[in-house]
Amino acid sequence: MGVQENLAEVKSKIDSISKKCGREGQVQLVAVSKFHPASSVLEATAAGQILFGENRVQEASEKFCEVLEKFPAARLHIIGHLQRNKVKEAVRIASCIQSVDRIELLDEIEKRCAEIGKDIEILFEYHTGEESKSGFESEDGIRAALKNFSLGKYPHIIPCGFMTMAPFTEDESAIRASFKKLRELRASLQGGFPQFNLRELSMGMSGDFEIAIEEGSTMVRIGTAIFGARSER
């Protein structure tokens, strides 16, 4: 099947599991286009997909210059580990950075957004699984970051929630535990910082998005099931 057929199938599955959970219309699809060409992204946009995720800033920049020229409504989220020297370009092309994993990164994002007068949304990446290589290691770290927000330190950044990767395992209980941990983190921090709308839980990928939706995901990041296998480069 092609991109449009795959996309329709994935959206149908998301709708079906969301309805079963009583969460109809509450889950956004982030189509992860890493290692796939702009032509594949444009196939997806032709089928009505607007939101995309990319891991690497340089690849995303090259690809989405073309995509946004042809389809200005497209939105890009950076979902991979972000180095400080890539932040300037990341904030130029993206509407959200999902992979904020340290306070120093927030400092750089604010600096670069202030330079171009742009506001950007972010999610806090939280380490919930053994296989995850990045993310805040503790709730205290994110709490300290949100304290900075409450003091007005980042006027150009909008904290919107949290992101995680479940461990790569066939053990469903371990996957559920990872997603539950993120859901409980949000409940704790939303209670501590009610002035922020920490609504998003970005969790679930091609292999585990159905479990993620059952556990409260509001955003699933799916690439392979839409665009096919990737040839890394």
Side-chain angles (χ1 to χ4, degrees), residues 82-88 102 104-105 107-108:
L82 183 59
Q83 299 174 324
R84 287 186 66 172
N85 66 350
K86 302 293 186 182
V87 169
K88 182 177 181 178
R102 58 203 187 279
E104 294 78 15
L105 190 59
D107 295 336
E108 186 70 16

Side-chain angles (χ1 to χ4, degrees), residues 13-232:
K13 288 180 180 178
I14 291 172
D15 290 344
S16 177
I17 191 69
S18 298
K19 287 176 183 177
K20 287 179 183 177
C21 298
R23 305 186 57 238
E24 188 174 357
Q26 296 179 27
V27 183
Q28 293 186 78
L29 169 62
V30 181
V32 179
S33 46
K34 174 185 177 183
F35 298 137
H36 293 283
S39 58
S40 294
V41 176
L42 290 169
E43 278 189 68
T45 63
Q49 180 64 22
I50 291 176
L51 180 55
F52 296 88
E54 288 278 341
N55 288 60
R56 299 180 178 181
V57 173
Q58 183 173 344
E59 178 189 351
S61 180
E62 294 168 359
K63 186 184 308 180
F64 276 82
C65 281
E66 178 180 347
V67 170
L68 289 168
E69 184 177 317
K70 296 179 179 178
F71 191 72
R75 291 188 292 129
L76 173 65
H77 286 197
I78 300 298
I79 61 175
H81 178 71
L82 183 59
Q83 299 174 324
R84 287 186 66 172
N85 66 350
K86 302 293 186 182
V87 169
K88 182 177 181 178
E89 183 62 13
V91 302
R92 186 184 73 81
I93 61 174
S95 62
C96 178
I97 296 172
Q98 292 201 15
S99 48
V100 172
D101 59 1
R102 58 203 187 279
I103 287 178
E104 294 78 15
L105 190 59
L106 287 168
D107 295 336
E108 186 70 16
I109 292 170
E110 172 59 34
K111 174 185 174 183
R112 296 304 183 178
C113 282
E115 287 175 351
I116 61 174
K118 177 178 179 177
D119 292 347
I120 196 165
E121 296 182 343
I122 63 100
L123 304 183
F124 297 102
E125 183 177 0
Y126 188 51
H127 180 98
T128 64
E130 291 180 7
E131 300 296 330
S132 177
K133 297 178 180 178
S134 59
F136 280 91
E137 295 282 348
S138 72
E139 180 176 331
D140 287 345
I142 301 179
R143 193 174 291 276
L146 284 168
K147 180 67 172 177
N148 284 346
F149 274 99
S150 68
L151 295 173
K153 189 171 181 180
Y154 308 121
H156 293 87
I157 308 176
I158 306 161
C160 293
F162 309 92
M163 183 265 264
T164 199
M165 288 179 61
F168 293 104
T169 177
E170 294 183 3
D171 182 355
E172 183 177 318
S173 63
I175 295 170
R176 284 192 185 277
S178 173
F179 295 150
K180 181 181 178 182
K181 188 174 181 181
L182 194 71
R183 188 179 72 240
E184 292 175 342
L185 174 84
R186 178 180 66 176
S188 174
L189 290 170
Q190 184 67 84
F193 296 90
Q195 67 270 46
F196 302 120
N197 184 5
L198 305 174
R199 62 191 180 278
E200 303 293 0
L201 288 179
S202 176
M203 55 190 197
M205 299 190 293
S206 288
D208 57 21
F209 72 89
E210 294 186 18
I211 298 172
I213 292 171
E214 291 172 353
E215 294 297 332
S217 176
T218 66
M219 215 178 257
V220 292
R221 310 182 304 274
I222 300 178
T224 302
I226 297 171
F227 296 106
R230 301 177 302 205
S231 56
E232 299 210 5

